[in-house]
Structure formats: C-alpha cells, structure tokens
Amino acid sequence: MTITGKNATDGPQSAPTLKRVLGLPSLIAFGLTSMGILSVVAVYGAGTEISDGHLPAAYIAALVAMLFTAHSYGQMARHVPVTGGAYAYASRAFGSPVGFLVGWAMMLDYLFLPMVNFLLFGLYLNSLVPVIPPQLAVLICLMVVGLFSVIGVAWIKKMNIVVVAASVLVILVFLVLAVVNAPDVSFHSLTRPLTPGEGGVAPVMAAAAIVAFAFLGFDGVSTLSEESRNPQRDVPRGIVLSTLFAGLGYTVFSVAGSLIAPEWRSIMNLDAAGTELMQRAGGDVLMVVFVIVNLCGLVLCGTAAQMSVSRVIYAMGRDRILPEALARLHPRFRTPYFAAVLVSAVSLIALVITLEQAVYMINFGALVAFAVVNLATIKVVFFDLRKRGAAGIVRNLVMPVLGFAFIAWLWTSLAWFTYLLGAAWHAVGAVIFLLRRRKCGGQVALTFDDGMVAAAAVPAGPKSGEREGARTPGN
C-alpha cells in the first residue's frame, strides 16, 4: 500500500519497517486481549436484565452474528494483507475518500476504546485500593499503556499470553466453584438460560444487541498484517478463532453465572455483577484474584487498542492522508511511536469524560468499520476477484450480506446523540482530507502494488483490451 506514483521499494534500503514477529497463537491472544476475556462481566448485569435471565442465549445469537463480520475481515485480510485494517480494505474496495472516512471512524472507535479500559481500571483499582483516586489510577494506566505501545508487539505478545492464560484459569476456577456451590445443578438449570424464556425471542435478541459490543476489538488483529510472519494465512484465522473462543467463553461464563445466581434479581448490584458472582462462588479470595487479573487484562486490552489505532494512523501518515511525521518508526523497536504518543495525548480526555460517553463513541466507530468491511468483501472478493464458485457465493456474498444486515440492526440500538457526534466527527474528517489532498497537490490515494499485495491475490482488474477472466471457484 503506497502513495500514488511512489513504489514501495523506492527509497533507502535501510528504511525501517514493521517487524514480522507474530504467529497464529500470538494473533489469537492479541484478539482475545483486545476484546478482553473478562469483559463479559461488564455487560453481565445489563444483558441478564434485558434477556430476563437468558444471557447465554443472547451470547450465542451475538456470536453467530459477529462471526459473519469476523469472516469478512478474514477474507479481506487474506487478499489485502497490509496494515490499516478496515481503512485499507475500504480504500482497496471504494477508493481513498471512503477509505479515509472509514479510517477516521475507526480512530473514533480505537481512540475511545483505550479510554474505556483506563476508566474501568480506575474504578476497579479504587475498589481494591480505596486510597488511590480513580483519576490517578486512570493516569497511571494511560502512561503504562503508552510505554507498552512504543515497546511493540514482540514483548507485549508474551504478556498477552500470560494474561489470557490467567484469565482462562480464573474463569475455569469460577466454573468449577459455581457448579460445586450452585443451589441446583440439573439438566433443566443448565439448558434453561440457553433457550428463550416466556417473553420469547425478542428479549434475547434485544440483549444480543447489547452483548455484541463485548466482541469489539477482534478487528484489531487485522491491523497487524505487516507484523505477522504469514499474514494471509494466520491473520484470517486469528480474527475468526479469537472471536469464536471469546464467544464460547462468554457463553460458558454466563451459564455458570446463572447456576450460582439462578434468580438474577437477587444480585445486589448489577453494574458490579462480576465481583458479586465471584464472591458467591469462591469467596473474597477469588474475588480479589479476579479483580487483579482483570486489572492486568484492562492494561493489555488498552494496549491492544492503542497499538491498533496507532497503526491505522501510521498507515494514513504513510499514505500522506495525515502528516507524514505520524509514519515515523522507532529506530530500535520499529513501532509507530509518533502515532502512539499522539494517541496517549488524546487519551487524556479520559480524565474528564464518563464511561457511558466513551462507550457510545466506540460503538459508532466500530459499526461504521464493520458495515463497510462486509460491503468491501463483496466488492473485492466476490466482484473484483470473481470468487463465485458454489462455496464462494456463500462465503463471499451471502455471509457478508448477513453480517451487514446484523450490523445495520445494531445501529438501531445506538442513542440519538451518537449519530449527531458521529456526523460531526466525519465532517471534521472530510475537511482534513480535503486540506491534505490540496497540500499534496492532487489526489491522495492508495495503490496496491506487488511490493505490498501479491498481484495474483488482488488484481487491479483487466487491462485495456484484455478479456475478463473466467470465474474462479473457491474462497
């Protein structure tokens, strides 16, 4: 992915590039930490209340729906294996103006996603150590995440695996203790929350719209294509598998929660349902361990989000859509440190906003990116690459359409002011794009050449006078 008229191989051979150090396990761990394995507790109370005690059914519905979009990300990552995620995919499919606006929306998502983790870190640390004010804890977390973002993926991937393992261990211990200490363990008590209740499917689907946002972050894996050893194989797998594993974990956790607290109205504080469930299952010891592991998970989840947005900014700086200084790489760590520092500076907003405000802005940016990636898959893979065999029709047309339909439905769950703020954000982005294009002396565009994308994988289309090729079966 290069600037128009500039080849990827131009310039000094010693120019720094992103390190290709990530394998499939690291990508899966990155995706899981981006979503936050223990983020299930953040929406447990709201999801349980809306579904009337059938939260596991809501998670199953949300998982199936989100897998369609994860599949679209995987298909685009396979055929457009460059950093930038939805920004790069939208640019490849619909041109640089649309790509920029999608990247701009992604920045809204990724800029506020670390802030959510900072705010939650402040709340949890204050609950564990009341002498530390929440805002001080937010600032501490912000500084640590900024440092980790500069150090880069080579070291962070080890921490991700450790925290993922610790989170899984906490969940397993909770599952065992929930079964041991549950007032009733029977076939009925296990399957009841997995099926719609007296209210029918409507409450379950309404809750699915809420808990679907626990999956936000899996798309961050797509921004690491240029740091993966085998991006065309491992990035698609990492996206889908991390989404699948997270969804299964959320479902199993919520089933265990329904066992230890079969009457959800008995939970004293639905906003802090996670700590209460842990205390009911394993006492204060398990609750404290849960809080500590969750704090570590919030730091790494914030790091994953900040690394993702810094790479989107890096890609846009490299393409001169944003100032080129943002494309500078650290001479030692080979990370986009200018972009990371900028994100840390913007994240200081977390000191003055509420958790609810940050969540609304995340939802807007994520849904814009998800919707466009589904459409980009249809445009690039189904139409441009003509992957229209029997399997191709299902994978490259039907599944992206279903993914887009679910994302469109999720739009109806957003608050009205989210649309207003989102429109204002895009208006600012459009002005920036026009100013940058004028400064660069014309069209600021992305081209995809042999240096970044295999010509056989992403053909630009038939040359003048060349006959369209026959349909190609497959994915």
Side-chain angles (χ1 to χ4, degrees):
M1 183 169 63
T2 62
I3 307 164
T4 297
K6 185 177 180 179
N7 191 281
T9 60
D10 289 347
Q13 294 300 313
S14 60
T17 57
L18 297 170
K19 286 184 177 181
R20 293 193 178 275
V21 296
L22 299 178
L24 180 59
S26 297
L27 291 170
I28 293 174
F30 184 91
L32 291 173
T33 53
S34 294
M35 288 179 278
I37 295 179
L38 296 178
S39 64
V40 60
V41 302
V43 293
Y44 185 93
T48 298
E49 184 177 17
I50 294 172
S51 65
D52 192 22
H54 295 269
L55 182 60
Y59 266 118
I60 291 174
L63 172 60
V64 172
M66 294 305 292
L67 279 173
F68 289 125
T69 296
H71 170 78
S72 292
Y73 267 92
Q75 288 294 82
M76 291 304 295
R78 177 175 289 111
H79 296 290
V80 187
V82 296
T83 194
Y87 158 66
Y89 307 154
S91 297
R92 171 62 179 85
F94 307 114
S96 62
V98 174
F100 174 81
L101 291 177
V102 171
W104 191 250
M106 284 175 63
M107 280 198 282
L108 191 65
D109 171 13
Y110 286 141
L111 284 173
F112 280 88
L113 187 55
M115 296 185 207
V116 168
N117 290 279
F118 301 156
L119 290 166
L120 288 173
F121 183 92
L123 294 173
Y124 276 109
L125 185 59
N126 177 255
S127 69
L128 189 64
V129 188
V131 296
I132 299 179
Q135 285 189 316
L136 177 59
V138 167
L139 186 59
I140 293 172
C141 186
L142 188 154
M143 295 173 65
V144 172
V145 166
L147 177 62
F148 286 174
S149 298
V150 172
I151 291 175
V153 297
W155 188 69
I156 298 302
K157 68 177 184 178
K158 301 174 183 178
M159 295 183 61
N160 282 340
I161 293 174
V162 171
V163 172
V164 166
S167 299
V168 170
L169 182 60
V170 169
I171 290 177
L172 290 176
V173 171
F174 170 73
L175 296 179
V176 173
L177 293 178
V179 171
V180 171
N181 297 321
D184 174 43
V185 179
S186 63
F187 180 79
H188 174 72
S189 64
L190 288 171
T191 58
R192 181 191 62 81
L194 291 168
T195 57
E198 296 179 359
V201 176
V204 172
M205 295 307 294
I210 299 298
V211 302
F213 297 119
F215 292 90
L216 298 187
F218 72 83
D219 53 311
V221 177
S222 67
T223 67
L224 301 178
S225 289
E226 292 180 33
E227 292 164 273
S228 305
R229 288 193 292 267
N230 192 339
Q232 290 177 297
R233 183 194 68 184
D234 291 343
V235 171
R237 293 179 181 179
I239 293 170
V240 173
L241 289 176
S242 61
T243 304
L244 178 62
F245 293 159
L248 293 176
Y250 296 157
T251 302
V252 172
F253 182 94
S254 55
V255 169
S258 67
L259 288 178
I260 200 67
E263 178 47 61
W264 63 268
R265 293 179 181 83
S266 66
I267 299 176
M268 300 297 295
N269 184 1
L270 286 175
D271 292 334
T275 54
E276 187 168 340
L277 292 175
M278 292 290 172
Q279 192 168 36
R280 288 193 185 192
D284 290 339
V285 173
L286 182 60
M287 183 193 70
V288 171
V289 172
F290 160 76
V291 171
I292 293 174
V293 173
N294 198 28
L295 287 173
C296 296
L298 289 170
V299 171
L300 290 182
C301 186
T303 302
Q306 185 154 321
M307 286 171 61
S308 296
V309 68
S310 64
R311 278 144 185 79
V312 173
I313 294 173
Y314 162 79
M316 297 174 83
R318 186 174 63 184
D319 299 318
R320 297 195 304 175
I321 293 177
L322 291 178
E324 293 177 73
L326 295 172
R328 293 183 184 177
L329 296 179
H330 192 281
R332 176 182 176 186
F333 300 113
R334 285 160 59 183
T335 56
Y337 70 106
F338 261 53
V341 171
L342 174 63
V343 175
S344 292
V346 174
S347 295
L348 291 171
I349 297 173
L351 297 173
V352 296
I353 65 170
T354 66
L355 183 61
E356 183 181 19
Q357 291 170 335
V359 168
Y360 275 124
M361 300 317 299
I362 288 172
N363 295 342
F364 181 88
L367 293 184
V368 168
F370 288 0
V372 174
V373 169
N374 280 302
L375 296 178
T377 302
I378 298 172
K379 168 66 169 57
V380 173
V381 185
F382 187 77
F383 286 107
D384 292 353
L385 299 182
R386 297 181 291 278
K387 301 290 187 180
R388 303 173 189 173
I393 291 175
V394 174
R395 300 185 63 177
N396 306 319
L397 181 63
V398 176
M399 293 178 69
V401 166
L402 291 175
F404 178 82
F406 178 71
I407 298 305
W409 173 64
L410 284 181
W411 276 95
T412 63
S413 67
L414 298 179
W416 67 269
F417 65 84
T418 307
Y419 300 104
L420 182 62
L421 293 174
W425 176 259
H426 274 89
V428 173
V431 171
I432 291 175
F433 179 81
L434 293 174
L435 292 176
R436 290 296 301 171
R437 183 168 65 177
R438 176 179 298 180
K439 183 176 180 179
C440 291
Q443 177 69 24
V444 181
L446 303 176
T447 60
F448 295 82
D449 55 40
D450 293 347
M452 300 298 287
V453 182
V458 189
K463 296 180 181 178
S464 177
E466 200 172 272
R467 185 176 65 85
E468 288 279 339
R471 291 183 180 181
T472 303
N475 60 352

